Each structure stands twice: as C-alpha cells, then as structure tokens.
C-alpha cells in the first residue's frame, strides 16, 4: 500500500488560498489528476491538470515555465502532459505519480523550494475551475463492473430469491461483468434515457423508452501498469497496479435488465451510459484513509489463498463517505438544494479493490493502463446507506416497490426526465486533512425518437 510521507502532512498549507478551506475537496494533501481545457478551447488542447482549491494547476504551463526543471517531478510531469490523457502517467507506475505529487506539493506549499517562483507565475499556471471543462481522465480501453456489497446483493435478492438472497458464489469470488467503455462520460454530460426491450409487469413484451431508470453509486479504480495477457497479478502486488479512484454512476435500466439478463447477465441495461467524476484521486492521496478489509462473519467461507493476503486484510479497505443526491427539474426551477438520497461508506464492501484486481487477472485476462474497474453499488447495512433507487424504493415487508418521498413534496419510484443525480465523496480521519472527490453529476434527458 502507498506509505504516508510529507505530502500527507496535515500542517502543510498552500499559497492557493482556497485550498486551505478544510471544508473543500481539494486541499494540498489531495492533488488529484484530471484532463481539462478552458471553455472555448478546441478539443485537442485538452491537457493534464491538478485540482488545488478552486483552481486547476496546468501541468503543461508548469513545464513551459520551467518550474519543474531539474526536479524529480519533471519526467513524470512530461508523462502526464503526453497525449491529452493520463494513460501514459498511469502506465509509468506509482513511483512516477508519487514523484510528481511530491514535486507539486512542494511547489504549491508555503515555503517549498520552488513555491516562490511558482507563485510569481500564478496567472500563467493556474486556471480557475469555473473557466474550465473537465473531460475523461483517461482513454478507457475497458470497463468492468463488480458486485461487491453484500448489502446491495442481499436487498436485491430479496425480491427474486427470498429464500437465499445472496447467491452462493458471492462469498467465494468478487462477481463482475464486462461492461462498456465506449459510453463512459465525464461529469456534467446529459444522459439520454435509453430505449429498450422489456417485459411489462402484466406480461406485454414491448420496446420503447426505459420506464425504470435507476442510478448506482459506485467507486471506480483506474488501472496503472497493466499485466501481460496470461500473467496473473498476485494479491500482494495488486497495489502496484492501482493508480487512483473516481466516482461512478452506473446508470441502470431496471426493466430492460430484468428481461434481458437471464442467462447471460446485463447487456443493454447498463451500456447506454456511465458517468464518472473527472478528478482521479490517487491511491497515494488515499493512504491515510486505508482501513482493514471487511470483517467477515466467522460462518462465512475464508477467501481461497489467491484472494488472501495479510497486508490486504490489514489495510485493503478504505474509509470513504459516499453520498447521492437528486435535483429534480422542479427543484432546479425553484432554486432548491438537491435532496440527499444516500449516505454510505466504502468500508462496507465485502471484497477489496486488490481482490477484485487479482480475481480479474487470475485467468490471465490482461488489464491495461486506464482501464476502469468499478466496485458495484456501495450500499451499507442501514436504510440511509441504500445506494440505488431499486433498494430505496423496496418495501421488504411486502416485497413490493413504493415511491420515495422527496423533501419538496415530489416523489420518485424511478428517475424522471429532467432529474439530475449528483454523487460526492469525502475521506476524513482525525489527525489528517479531509479530502474530497469533487462531483459526479448527470441529468436525464428524454429518450431519442426511434429513427424513421
Ligand atoms: Ca453496477
């Protein structure tokens, strides 16, 4: 696991004043990487930046200004500045991103070796976030979605398998399916309601706009260095392949999913759109928030040896608070605040990201830099920790669904057109500066008319 070092020092403060507001997401202890361009700039000018307070540090501008010349961060900054994606930096391994993080922390801190020169260049190297748009951080070659919350699995199973809601394999392996990389978009993109085939409750088989559109609050992992096809990844080595994390909304068409998923699993219900937060919080930035893996009840099977490792058990989990909000069209029109639907924590996940990665590559499947691996819906044990509508709208006593009430008097069984779903995440631990993930936000637009 990444170790603590001076970049995590809670006393460290930045000359970018907004970064010192400890309620913010992007203090100097965070330094997540992203791809941005100024509003109005052409797509090909998208380049790597780092979030600091309410600003984006432009890595290309830093290189142009010679600020990193001669430091150990310079080579890694050149990798980050390659190709308009973070893939090259991800491929270089965590030594490179760690050297870059150390150099940037020094540059952005009060009293750092090059901070006076950087501050003099502030107008050149900083871009206000409100003047920029953020794209996908990586060219995502493949996207895999896991199912690793036992609470989500159990609540979902109550409807369809009331006698044994958790499938037998769940406790033996991290379940997943290969999802679709081509429709992963960055926060802020509107999502079109998918059309699809489904079987209505009364039995009619029909094609048309999804009637049961849902969100799933998940955490994503970006793969750093990959593995060659045929060469698995030992669990103890898994951290070397984990670059960082983002929020993931796995938009889910439940009516399409119910009809199409047997016997091969989800297909079109999941591939219409996936939204991710644009800032990649590095595994190193999350080092203070590592915790023990999920404590399995003694009656659960122990993981097989390839999924067992003492270090992963000790610190393979993460203490990360996750929230989901809804902003309906009416709330937006009236200037009301979004309503919170979910408050959960990544500590509830039954399997660690290390176990997911190792299981994924265990058959020799090649993972590549920039691949996205999502955790599955991050539901916890309590009612407020239900991380999708299909759990929130479930009445377990009657095994039926009922609309949930929103604070402004509206109600939702599933998502309406015009609804916006917003995720946020925050890691906190006494003695450390809290860090956030920024937003993962998407609005539902009406389904497209079927082409004539
Ligand atoms: Ca999912």
């Amino acid at each position: 696991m990444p170790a603590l070092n001076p970049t995590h020092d809670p006393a460290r403060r930045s000359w970018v004043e907004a970064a010192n507001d400890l309620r913010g997401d992007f203090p100097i202890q965070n330094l997540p990487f992203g791809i941005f361009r100024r509003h109005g700039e052409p797509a090909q000018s998208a380049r790597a930046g780092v979030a600091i307070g309410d600003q984006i540090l432009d890595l290309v501008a830093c290189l142009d200004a010679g600020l990193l010349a001669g430091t150990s961060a310079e080579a890694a900054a050149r990798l980050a500045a390659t190709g308009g994606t973070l893939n090259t930096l991800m491929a270089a391994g965590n030594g490179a991103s760690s050297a870059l993080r150390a150099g940037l922390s020094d540059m952005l801190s009060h009293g750092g070796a090059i901070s006076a020169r950087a501050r003099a260049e502030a107008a050149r190297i900083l871009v206000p976030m409100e003047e920029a748009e953020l794209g996908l951080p990586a060219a995502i070659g493949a996207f895999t979605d896991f199912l690793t919350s036992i609470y989500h699995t159990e609540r979902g199973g109550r409807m369809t398998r009331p006698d044994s809601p958790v499938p037998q394999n769940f406790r033996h392996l991290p379940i997943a399916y290969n999802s679709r990389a081509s429709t992963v978009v960055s926060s802020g993109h509107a999502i079109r309601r998918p059309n699809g085939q489904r079987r209505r409750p009364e039995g009619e088989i029909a094609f048309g706009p999804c009637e049961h559109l849902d969100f799933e609050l998940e955490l994503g992992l970006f793969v750093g260095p990959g593995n060659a096809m045929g060469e698995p990844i030992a669990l103890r080595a898994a951290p070397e392949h984990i670059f960082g994390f983002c929020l993931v909304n796995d938009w889910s068409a439940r009516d399409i999913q119910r009809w199409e998923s047997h016997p091969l699993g989800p297909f079109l219900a999941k591939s219409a759109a996936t939204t991710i937060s644009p800032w990649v919080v590095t595994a190193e930035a999350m080092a203070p928030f590592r915790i023990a893996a999920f404590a399995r009840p003694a009656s659960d099977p122990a993981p097989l040896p390839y999924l067992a490792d003492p270090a992963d058990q000790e610190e393979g989990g993460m203490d990360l608070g996750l929230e989901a909000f809804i902003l309906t069209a009416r709330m937006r029109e009236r200037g009301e605040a979004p309503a919170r639907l979910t408050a959960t924590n990544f500590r509830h996940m039954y399997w660690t990201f290390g176990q997911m990665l190792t299981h994924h590559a265990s058959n020799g499947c090649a993972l590549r830099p920039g691949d996205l691996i999502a955790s599955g819906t991050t539901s916890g044990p309590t009612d407020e920790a239900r991380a999708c509508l299909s759990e929130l709208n479930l009445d377990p006593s009657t095994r039926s669904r009922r609309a949930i009430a929103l604070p402004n008097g509206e109600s939702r069984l599933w998502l309406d057109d015009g609804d916006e779903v917003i995720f946020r995440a925050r890691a906190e631990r006494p003695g450390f500066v809290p860090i956030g993930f920024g937003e993962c936000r998407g609005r539902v637009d009406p389904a497209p008319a079927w082409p004539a």
Side-chain angles (χ1 to χ4, degrees), residues 145-146 177 216 218 250 252 270 376-377:
D145 195 18
F146 276 83
Y177 66 98
E216 291 188 339
E218 307 193 12
D250 176 27
S252 297
K270 300 284 194 172
T377 309

Side-chain angles (χ1 to χ4, degrees), residues 67 81 131 175 187 190 229 235 256 308 337 375 402:
L67 287 172
E131 293 177 17
I175 297 170
S187 179
M229 182 176 168
L235 183 50
I256 298 171
S375 62
R402 74 258 177 275

Side-chain angles (χ1 to χ4, degrees), residues 139-406:
I140 300 170
F143 166 35
T144 307
D145 195 18
F146 276 83
L147 173 78
T148 59
S149 158
I150 197 164
Y151 304 105
H152 171 68
T153 307
E154 199 270 339
R155 285 194 193 98
R158 276 184 211 158
M159 284 291 271
T160 48
R161 303 175 299 271
D163 296 332
S164 63
V166 177
Q168 188 196 353
N169 59 356
F170 181 91
R171 294 177 172 89
H172 292 276
L173 56 82
I175 297 170
Y177 66 98
N178 288 305
S179 195
R180 192 74 190 161
S182 60
T183 32
V184 179
V185 294
S186 188
S187 179
H189 281 253
I191 300 308
R192 287 173 121 182
R193 177 178 299 274
N195 285 305
Q197 186 184 133
R198 69 270 184 203
R199 183 179 181 274
R200 286 219 173 89
E202 66 276 15
E204 180 203 1
I205 294 163
F207 181 90
C210 165
E211 294 170 345
H212 296 177
L213 187 61
D214 200 353
F215 68 86
E216 291 188 339
L217 169 55
E218 307 193 12
L219 194 65
L221 170 160
F222 275 103
V223 174
N227 60 308
M229 182 176 168
E231 292 184 12
I233 297 171
L235 183 50
R236 69 173 180 284
E240 298 160 26
H241 298 268
I242 300 175
F243 177 82
F245 310 102
C246 66
L247 289 162
V248 176
N249 184 348
D250 176 27
W251 302 94
S252 297
R254 300 296 185 199
D255 44 357
I256 298 171
Q257 185 179 359
R258 268 192 304 278
W259 176 232
E260 73 173 5
S261 290
H262 304 284
L264 269 186
F267 180 45
L268 301 175
K270 300 284 194 172
S271 59
T274 304
T275 305
I276 66 171
S277 57
W279 292 111
V280 186
V281 174
T282 58
E284 188 175 8
M286 283 298 291
F289 312 104
R290 305 302 301 214
I291 55 172
F294 186 87
R296 296 175 172 222
S299 54
D300 283 11
L304 290 175
Y306 81 105
L307 293 175
D309 172 70
D312 187 66
Q313 280 300 298
E314 265 169 49
E315 47 183 359
M318 288 193 287
D319 185 358
L320 176 67
L322 300 151
E323 294 177 303
F325 302 81
I326 187 169
L327 183 70
T328 68
R330 196 202 292 181
M331 292 172 185
R332 199 161 45 241
E333 282 158 18
R334 297 182 179 180
E336 295 169 357
R340 193 171 78 173
L341 299 174
T342 305
T344 184
N345 192 296
F346 199 70
R347 62 167 61 237
H348 301 309
M349 307 309 279
Y350 192 89
W351 295 98
T352 66
F353 264 136
Q355 289 170 319
M356 293 182 229
L357 208 73
T358 291
H359 182 67
H360 201 319
S362 62
N363 66 343
C365 172
L367 305 179
R368 290 179 298 187
D371 282 0
L372 178 65
I373 293 177
S375 62
T377 309
T378 52
S379 302
T382 62
D383 277 355
E384 74 164 358
R386 295 173 291 180
C388 61
L389 284 175
S390 75
E391 287 178 63
L392 287 160
N393 69 15
L394 192 61
D395 183 346
S397 59
T398 61
R399 291 179 57 208
S400 62
R401 299 190 185 277
R402 74 258 177 275
I404 56 169
L406 302 178

